[in-house]
Amino acid sequence: MTPRRARLIFLTLGLAAAALSLVRASPPAPAPADAPADRFSALRARETIAALLGDSAAHPVGSPANAAVRARLIAHLRSLGLDPEEQRTFACSDGGTCAPVVNVIVWLPGQVPGPAVGLLAHYDSVPAGPGVADDLHGVATTLELLEILQQTPRRNPLAAIFTDGEEAGLLGARAFAEHPRFRELGVVLNAEARGTTGAARMFETSDGNAALIAALAHNTARPSALSLSYEVYRLLPNDTDLTIFKRHGAQGLNFAFIGGVQRYHTPLDDLAHLDLGSVQQQGDAMLATARALLATDLSDRPSENAHYADLFAAVLLRWPARVDLPLAVLTLLALLAAWLRAHRATPPAAARPEPARPSAVALAASATLLAPLLAALAAAALLWLVERLSGPLGAFPAAPHWPVLAASLAAAATSLALLSRVARRVGPLAQALGTWLVWTLLALVLALVLPGASILLLAPAALAGLLALRPRSLLGPGLAAVLALALWAPLAPSLTEALGLSAPLLGALVGWLSTALAPACAEEPGEKDMSRATWLLLLLALGSAALAAAAPRVDVDHPAKLNLLHVTDLDTGAAHYVADAPGGLAPEVAAAAAWEPPRALLPWSARAVPAARAPAHAREPATLTRVSTEPRDATTTRVTWTLRAPADTLALLLILPGDAVTALKIAGRPLDPARLRPGPSDTRLVTIFGPPPEGLELTADLRDLTAWKLVTLHAGLPPNSPAAARPPHFVPYQLGDLTATARTLAP
């Protein structure tokens, strides 16, 4: 076989592997509602979601709608012959978010006593949307798994925990960590979502995860997991209920899909937008893993971690974390041995170019490091041009595939132009040695500083090192490139889904992946395959950029986010509309009121926001009634109040002077004033969702009697508000539209 033909074969195989990985990364078709009773069915789960949801209302913690969802959940559990427990308590986060919560708990015995396998999901939603994906799909998935697994022989006990108040600060999870049965949990499988579609991945584990990863690997038909994702997740300001469970000693696996983030925490997190393929993939993975764990002795808790990456969503490539360093060293030695062997076997005069010269390998290694940088610059420059011609793309545009494709093609064209030029000069062997030496050395570094990421570099590099025994063959570099493309290709869409559109990150990823193909770019004199390919990629990039420039940034299925608030200051009698619009006001809303320049108007935030004068519409405010006052010492006074709110209150905000409060309790829950969320002008915030109508006891130790501010939040807006002008491609998010009534109180 001629070198040219071998190069074309490996290029074709590499691109085919990348394409297959991308296709396999997408969710499968949902199983029908009449699927066998021992198989998970997303269509059956959808029917359960519809039954739980009722009138499709948002159901935040403490609301009547949430109580209705809980009642339907308990009725469903009883229809399965189960006897659910309700854990009712008042819970607070460290940052001062509190609420009365009601967790629903089911416990099924196993054949032997011991740690239980727990299924975990939360049933509350944010105030802005019905929370179908986040997280009623997790509730329905757990119910479907319960129905299947209660008919299955179980070595270990099986638990299901449906938490309340997750969206308010993981409050139900905090409450269950105090439950006596929490200590009986061995491992927890949590079902979550950030968006309404996308591949369902196992994205987070606990330490000592080797046995958990083995259970996932051996029993899941379509595994989607990457140890890099946990490393990235730990760097982000995101938490789930599993965070609390892990903090209190439980092991766990976290499953979620993260596509369609524009609909996350909005009214469009509904049944119409839920991808049943995503639900099916998650349900299949959780069912297979739960079955394996229910048959495993969980009393032996290994301390060893595993590193892993799925290959074509068919095999979970994995090994113990302790293997990273020795494998990297062995790979490095194998590549150096191949270099030495090639140098000795080939007299310098007989080779053109001299394949084993140190300068040639150094040049190839330099190109391997430079290619991702140039690719990132090219991708960023192309999308910068798109934005100059048509406006900002935003982190999550409505048609992300066009800018992603444009950036990827520009990055590939730039990196391959550099790599092919260097490869032509140094030859395929020097290029292969330079490429895989860099990959191996970086894998060594990552094994020390970002361990979960090392497998992505080490697996292809180890294959290249293993096959380096035939230094003049393209077999080693070619197969290593195929493996690299298969492992890395799904990262481009998944990182864009998780982190948003980032041209430099995307370009660097494509540029780095192109280095794996570099040894196949070493053309003979007169060949112009790579030059033609580079120009073709560049033309395709420009065409994709033109389509990205013409594509809408938002639409009714991928909306922009816009909250409107009616804020009344009872101290002055002034009322304003306030806009919370991360992407700017909708033109229709801007024309519906006389908006003033942004200024700090919200009692709980120093952020400048657009505001407009509004007609008075003060809702009934909460009250703070002093019950007792007693001196604690020469400088401190303890004051006790009863805090009461109207029955339809969404939440209360207490705005406390930052240095006046030395101790604080709400409904018996102590809060550290120093850890409360900071507010404007050196204040601290306490948020209480769903305050009970009978009121709450509040006790504080005060250095002085500086005035407090109390804000009562109600969902929705008064009639004739600018919300009527909001177009369908702008939607409320998180807390949604609010009517706020603020007053100053003397403590």
Side-chain angles (χ1 to χ4, degrees), residues 536-697:
L536 177 61
L537 289 172
L538 185 57
L539 288 173
L540 291 173
L542 293 173
S544 300
L547 293 172
R553 303 301 190 256
V554 296
D555 59 33
V556 293
D557 285 325
H558 307 84
K561 296 176 179 178
L562 168 62
N563 284 342
L564 293 170
L565 293 76
H566 184 283
V567 182
T568 300
D569 186 338
L570 291 180
D571 299 333
T572 65
H576 291 84
Y577 290 119
V578 172
D580 175 12
L585 274 174
E588 296 87 344
V589 175
W595 295 95
E596 302 168 1
R599 57 192 173 103
L601 189 66
L602 298 173
W604 58 88
S605 174
R607 184 165 54 97
V609 290
R613 292 284 179 179
H617 186 82
R619 299 287 295 271
E620 182 184 353
T623 60
L624 192 65
T625 305
R626 187 182 302 190
V627 176
S628 65
T629 302
E630 64 175 294
R632 296 288 293 167
D633 52 43
T635 61
T636 306
T637 302
R638 173 164 293 178
V639 183
T640 301
W641 302 267
T642 299
L643 179 62
R644 287 189 175 89
D648 59 347
T649 299
L650 173 67
L652 298 177
L653 283 173
L654 282 167
I655 305 171
L656 317 177
D659 57 355
V661 182
T662 62
L664 182 66
K665 279 187 178 181
I666 299 178
R669 289 279 178 181
L671 294 172
D672 182 354
R675 301 182 67 181
L676 299 179
R677 186 162 59 95
S681 303
D682 194 30
T683 58
R684 298 284 175 172
L685 305 180
V686 175
T687 306
I688 304 170
F689 283 93
E694 65 271 18
L696 295 166
E697 183 180 88

Side-chain angles (χ1 to χ4, degrees), residues 228-243:
L228 169 65
S229 67
Y230 180 41
E231 301 288 358
V232 173
Y233 183 77
R234 289 196 295 181
L235 301 175
L236 300 176
N238 301 100
D239 291 306
T240 67
D241 280 342
L242 184 61
T243 304

Side-chain angles (χ1 to χ4, degrees), residues 223-366:
S224 180
L226 183 62
S227 50
L228 169 65
S229 67
Y230 180 41
E231 301 288 358
V232 173
Y233 183 77
R234 289 196 295 181
L235 301 175
L236 300 176
N238 301 100
D239 291 306
T240 67
D241 280 342
L242 184 61
T243 304
I244 304 300
F245 279 62
K246 287 168 54 177
R247 188 179 299 167
H248 287 82
Q251 287 191 306
L253 298 174
N254 222 347
F255 298 82
F257 44 90
I258 58 173
V261 72
Q262 303 95 326
R263 298 183 283 273
Y264 178 60
H265 285 180
T266 77
L268 296 186
D269 183 4
D270 56 15
L271 268 174
H273 291 93
L274 180 65
D275 186 339
L276 294 182
S278 303
V279 178
Q280 184 68 45
Q281 187 176 15
Q282 188 175 92
D284 285 341
M286 291 183 67
L287 176 59
T289 306
R291 277 176 168 151
L293 292 171
L294 285 168
T296 302
D297 183 0
L298 298 179
S299 59
D300 181 19
R301 301 186 60 165
S303 59
E304 185 174 54
N305 278 330
H307 293 156
Y308 48 91
D310 66 89
L311 188 59
F312 302 121
V315 176
L316 198 62
L317 180 66
R318 60 190 172 91
W319 57 60
R322 67 175 186 274
V323 169
D324 284 353
L325 287 175
L327 182 58
V329 171
L330 288 174
T331 300
L332 186 61
L333 292 175
L335 291 169
L336 292 175
W339 186 0
L340 181 61
R341 179 180 175 185
H343 182 72
R344 289 177 174 177
T346 305
R352 204 218 64 78
E354 298 180 59
R357 286 178 57 189
S359 59
V361 176
L363 181 59
S366 300

Side-chain angles (χ1 to χ4, degrees), residues 107-118 154-159 181-187 293-294 296-301:
W107 216 275
L108 283 72
Q111 295 171 343
V112 297
V117 176
R154 299 179 303 277
R155 181 190 189 279
N156 301 316
L158 173 65
R181 303 209 77 159
F182 181 86
R183 295 186 296 274
E184 299 177 36
L185 282 176
V187 59
L293 292 171
L294 285 168
T296 302
D297 183 0
L298 298 179
S299 59
D300 181 19
R301 301 186 60 165

Side-chain angles (χ1 to χ4, degrees), residues 32-326:
D34 60 354
D38 62 349
R39 183 184 176 193
F40 180 84
S41 165
L43 284 171
R44 284 198 295 258
R46 186 190 187 282
E47 294 173 0
T48 303
I49 295 170
L52 292 172
L53 192 58
D55 61 0
S56 300
H59 47 282
V61 59
S63 67
N66 199 42
V69 169
R70 180 171 62 251
R72 291 189 284 266
L73 168 61
I74 291 171
H76 189 107
L77 289 167
R78 287 175 176 157
S79 74
L80 298 178
L82 303 171
D83 184 20
E85 172 195 348
E86 294 181 62
Q87 181 197 15
R88 294 178 176 268
T89 188
F90 188 82
C92 293
S93 71
D94 295 337
T97 301
C98 304
V101 296
V102 185
N103 293 329
V104 179
I105 305 159
V106 171
W107 216 275
L108 283 72
Q111 295 171 343
V112 297
V117 176
L119 305 175
L120 179 62
H122 70 89
Y123 67 87
D124 64 304
S125 75
V126 296
V132 166
D134 182 22
D135 188 35
L136 282 184
H137 103 273
V139 174
T141 294
T142 300
L143 291 171
E144 175 90 351
L145 298 186
L146 272 176
E147 188 167 3
I148 296 170
L149 294 173
Q150 70 174 333
Q151 308 301 328
T152 304
R154 299 179 303 277
R155 181 190 189 279
N156 301 316
L158 173 65
I161 304 101
F162 304 93
T163 60
D164 193 7
E166 193 269 356
E167 300 291 4
L170 315 179
L171 301 182
R174 296 175 194 274
F176 186 71
E178 301 172 355
H179 193 285
R181 303 209 77 159
F182 181 86
R183 295 186 296 274
E184 299 177 36
L185 282 176
V187 59
V188 177
L189 308 182
N190 188 40
E192 264 288 1
R194 180 173 172 261
T196 62
T197 185
R201 297 180 174 91
M202 195 290 294
F203 69 96
E204 181 191 7
T205 69
S206 51
D207 287 333
N209 61 29
L212 303 183
I213 299 304
L216 177 68
H218 286 158
N219 300 279
T220 305
R222 201 181 180 102
S224 180
L226 183 62
S227 50
L228 169 65
S229 67
Y230 180 41
E231 301 288 358
V232 173
Y233 183 77
R234 289 196 295 181
L235 301 175
L236 300 176
N238 301 100
D239 291 306
T240 67
D241 280 342
L242 184 61
T243 304
I244 304 300
F245 279 62
K246 287 168 54 177
R247 188 179 299 167
H248 287 82
Q251 287 191 306
L253 298 174
N254 222 347
F255 298 82
F257 44 90
I258 58 173
V261 72
Q262 303 95 326
R263 298 183 283 273
Y264 178 60
H265 285 180
T266 77
L268 296 186
D269 183 4
D270 56 15
L271 268 174
H273 291 93
L274 180 65
D275 186 339
L276 294 182
S278 303
V279 178
Q280 184 68 45
Q281 187 176 15
Q282 188 175 92
D284 285 341
M286 291 183 67
L287 176 59
T289 306
R291 277 176 168 151
L293 292 171
L294 285 168
T296 302
D297 183 0
L298 298 179
S299 59
D300 181 19
R301 301 186 60 165
S303 59
E304 185 174 54
N305 278 330
H307 293 156
Y308 48 91
D310 66 89
L311 188 59
F312 302 121
V315 176
L316 198 62
L317 180 66
R318 60 190 172 91
W319 57 60
R322 67 175 186 274
V323 169
D324 284 353
L325 287 175

Side-chain angles (χ1 to χ4, degrees), residues 365-658:
S366 300
T368 301
L369 293 171
L370 185 58
L373 176 60
L374 293 180
L377 291 174
L382 185 60
L383 292 195
W384 175 86
L385 180 62
V386 169
E387 292 190 321
R388 296 289 75 73
L389 295 175
S390 61
L393 288 164
F396 297 99
H401 45 281
W402 292 122
V404 166
L405 184 60
S408 301
L409 291 170
T414 304
S415 55
L416 289 176
L418 169 69
L419 293 167
S420 62
R421 184 178 181 86
V422 172
R424 188 184 305 115
R425 179 175 176 181
V426 303
L429 178 57
Q431 184 65 54
L433 288 169
T435 296
W436 296 112
L437 282 170
V438 169
W439 277 61
T440 305
L441 290 171
L442 286 179
L444 265 171
V445 172
L446 287 177
L448 298 173
V449 300
L450 202 67
S454 61
I455 190 171
L456 287 172
L457 288 88
L458 195 49
L463 182 59
L466 177 67
L467 298 175
L469 299 176
R470 298 181 60 193
R472 290 195 168 280
S473 171
L474 280 175
L475 181 64
L479 291 180
V482 172
L483 179 58
L485 267 74
L487 289 174
W488 282 74
L491 278 177
S494 63
L495 286 177
T496 302
E497 288 174 344
L499 305 177
L501 179 62
S502 170
L505 178 62
L506 187 60
L509 174 64
V510 173
W512 177 252
L513 195 50
S514 299
T515 66
L517 294 171
C521 298
E523 298 175 317
E524 298 295 331
E527 295 179 355
K528 295 185 178 181
D529 293 341
M530 294 309 300
S531 296
R532 295 191 185 99
T534 299
W535 282 109
L536 177 61
L537 289 172
L538 185 57
L539 288 173
L540 291 173
L542 293 173
S544 300
L547 293 172
R553 303 301 190 256
V554 296
D555 59 33
V556 293
D557 285 325
H558 307 84
K561 296 176 179 178
L562 168 62
N563 284 342
L564 293 170
L565 293 76
H566 184 283
V567 182
T568 300
D569 186 338
L570 291 180
D571 299 333
T572 65
H576 291 84
Y577 290 119
V578 172
D580 175 12
L585 274 174
E588 296 87 344
V589 175
W595 295 95
E596 302 168 1
R599 57 192 173 103
L601 189 66
L602 298 173
W604 58 88
S605 174
R607 184 165 54 97
V609 290
R613 292 284 179 179
H617 186 82
R619 299 287 295 271
E620 182 184 353
T623 60
L624 192 65
T625 305
R626 187 182 302 190
V627 176
S628 65
T629 302
E630 64 175 294
R632 296 288 293 167
D633 52 43
T635 61
T636 306
T637 302
R638 173 164 293 178
V639 183
T640 301
W641 302 267
T642 299
L643 179 62
R644 287 189 175 89
D648 59 347
T649 299
L650 173 67
L652 298 177
L653 283 173
L654 282 167
I655 305 171
L656 317 177

